[in-house]
Amino acid sequence: MSASMMRATVRAVSKRKIIATRAALTLTPSAVNRIRLLLEDKPEYIGLKVGVKTRGCNGLTYTLDYTKEKLKSDEEVLQDGVRVFIEKKAQLTLLGTEMDFVETKLNSEFIFNNPNIKGMCGCGESFSV
């Protein structure tokens, strides 16, 4: 992951001190469109929930599910009318991550461009931070 892929907002606090803040999760236009399409015929769901769980040879893998409610501990990302909720356990892991949707002739999937990843397994199924 290159540093140029990381999205950061820099806010001047004083003449000498600058604090960089990162969005919890940003969505590409492709991801927004796909989420909108997935939720189009499911009015009982309010958005998607992103999480992480222990799995694979490198430690963690992403989870993605429909959700009917926002839990108190969830962090909400609202972008272009689409709602994505981040489970408490995944919030630090996903900090600064860009969620994309990629479609090829053979498959389609959500891709997480995560600047916090320190290692990945060979098949790309799991990662460590």
Side-chain angles (χ1 to χ4, degrees), residues 1 7 21-22 25 29 41 45-46 57 86 93 107:
M1 169 76 36
R7 296 181 184 258
T21 58
R22 290 191 240 174
L25 180 72
D41 60 344
Y45 296 106
I46 62 169
C57 55
I86 304 171
T93 303
N107 68 357

Side-chain angles (χ1 to χ4, degrees), residues 16-120:
R16 290 201 249 177
K17 188 174 181 182
I18 295 178
I19 296 177
T21 58
R22 290 191 240 174
L25 180 72
T26 57
L27 308 172
T28 66
S30 179
V32 168
N33 290 336
R34 184 59 177 183
I35 294 168
R36 189 174 286 129
L37 183 67
L38 289 170
L39 293 171
E40 195 172 71
D41 60 344
K42 296 175 180 60
E44 68 273 23
Y45 296 106
I46 62 169
L48 294 183
K49 186 171 288 196
V50 179
V52 293
K53 68 178 180 178
T54 304
R55 181 177 167 192
C57 55
N58 227 327
L60 297 171
T61 190
Y62 298 107
T63 62
L64 194 57
D65 293 302
Y66 295 101
T67 188
K68 293 182 179 181
E69 64 182 343
K70 177 189 184 294
L71 299 179
K72 202 175 214 180
S73 61
D74 290 343
E75 183 166 340
E76 181 177 357
V77 175
L78 177 61
Q79 187 174 322
D80 300 326
V82 168
R83 296 169 78 187
V84 175
F85 302 93
I86 304 171
E87 292 177 349
K88 182 177 176 103
K89 179 181 172 184
Q91 290 172 7
L92 288 177
T93 303
L94 289 170
L95 187 64
T97 297
E98 177 189 71
M99 183 177 170
D100 193 10
F101 180 76
V102 178
E103 200 165 10
T104 66
K105 289 182 180 182
L106 296 176
N107 68 357
S108 58
E109 62 185 335
F110 285 102
I111 304 288
F112 294 88
N113 298 312
N114 188 336
N116 305 305
I117 292 178
K118 302 295 182 218
M120 288 185 71

